[in-house]
C-alpha cells in the first residue's frame, strides 16, 4: 500500500507545493493535499501547518511536507505538536542530516529560497535517507523527556 504523505503550503509555497504533490504521486506515494487548492494571497500558514502536523503527531501518517516563504512559520507551528520533528531544509545536506541525526518526520521547504528543482531534489533526499539511530536515538528521545 502506498504511504500517505500530507502536504500543505501557504500562498508563497503554493506553486512549489503543487509540484511536490505531483512528484510524490510520480514516485508512488499517496500525497494528500491539505491545501490551499487555489492561490489566496491572504491565507495564513498555521491553517495549513496544523492539519499536517496534527496527523503526524497522532501517528495517522508517518510523514508530512510543508512549505511557505521562509519555512519559518511552518516550522514554528509544526514543532509545537508533540512528536513532530519538522526540519527546515534549504539544501540536500540539511535534509539528509535531518533524517540521519534527527529522524525528522516533517519536511519544511522555504519556497522563497529554493527553486522548484531544488525543492524536488531536497524532497528526494529526505524521502530516501534513513535515521542512523544509536547515539542520535538517545538525543531524539530526550526531546520529549
Ligand atoms: C507570508 O507572507 C510569509 O510570512 C510566509 O510565507 C512565511 O515566510 C512565514 O514564515
Amino acid at each position: 500500500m502506498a504511504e500517505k504523505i500530507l502536504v500543505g503550503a501557504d500562498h508563497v509555497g503554493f506553486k512549489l507545493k503543487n509540484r511536490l504533490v505531483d512528484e510524490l504521486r510520480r514516485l508512488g506515494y499517496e500525497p494528500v493535499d491539505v491545501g490551499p487548492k487555489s492561490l489566496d494571497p491572504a491565507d495564513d500558514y498555521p491553517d495549513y501547518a496544523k492539519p499536517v502536523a496534527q496527523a503526524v503527531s497522532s501517528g495517522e501518517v508517518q510523514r508530512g511536507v510543508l512549505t511557505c516563504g521562509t519555512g519559518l512559520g511552518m516550522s514554528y507551528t509544526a514543532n509545537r505538536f508533540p512528536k513532530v520533528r519538522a526540519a527546515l531544509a534549504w539544501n540536500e545536506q540539511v535534509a539528509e542530516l535531518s533524517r540521519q541525526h534527527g529522524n525528522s518526520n516533517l519536511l519544511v521547504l522555504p519556497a522563497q529560497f529554493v527553486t522548484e528543482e531544488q525543492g524536488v531534489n531536497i524532497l528526494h533526499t529526505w524521502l530516501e535517507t534513513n535515521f542512523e539511530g544509536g547515539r542520535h536515538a538517545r538525543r531524539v528521545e530526550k526531546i520529549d523527556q
Side-chain angles (χ1 to χ4, degrees):
M1 212 174 75
E3 181 188 344
K4 205 183 267 191
I5 297 185
L6 262 64
V7 187
D10 72 350
H11 52 286
V12 186
F14 177 70
K15 209 160 157 257
L16 176 58
K17 182 263 294 171
N18 291 343
R19 176 77 187 272
L20 299 173
V21 166
D22 290 346
E23 185 62 14
L24 284 166
R25 195 168 292 121
R26 194 186 70 76
L27 292 170
Y29 292 93
E30 188 189 331
V32 178
D33 185 353
V34 306
K37 303 289 185 206
S38 59
L39 184 61
D40 172 7
D43 68 13
D44 303 323
Y45 56 80
D47 294 335
Y48 300 96
K50 286 179 181 179
V52 174
Q54 178 56 45
V56 173
S57 181
S58 69
E60 182 192 327
V61 295
Q62 297 304 305
R63 300 191 276 189
V65 178
L66 290 166
T67 175
C68 64
T70 58
L72 293 169
M74 290 299 193
S75 306
Y76 301 152
T77 312
N79 278 313
R80 289 185 166 223
F81 287 73
K83 297 191 184 135
V84 169
R85 291 175 301 281
L88 173 54
W90 55 92
N91 64 31
E92 289 171 65
Q93 197 185 0
V94 175
E96 186 173 51
L97 285 166
S98 83
R99 289 286 311 130
Q100 289 174 334
H101 292 186
N103 200 15
S104 62
N105 51 16
L106 203 156
L107 173 67
V108 183
L109 288 166
Q112 265 176 274
F113 298 92
V114 294
T115 63
E116 280 185 34
E117 224 40 57
Q118 287 169 332
V120 165
N121 290 337
I122 293 168
L123 175 69
H124 286 175
T125 300
W126 185 74
L127 290 168
E128 289 159 13
T129 307
N130 291 322
F131 180 44
E132 284 180 358
R135 67 188 189 281
H136 302 297
R138 183 184 70 237
R139 293 164 186 163
V140 169
E141 277 159 25
K142 281 191 181 182
I143 296 173
D144 291 320
Q145 285 167 6

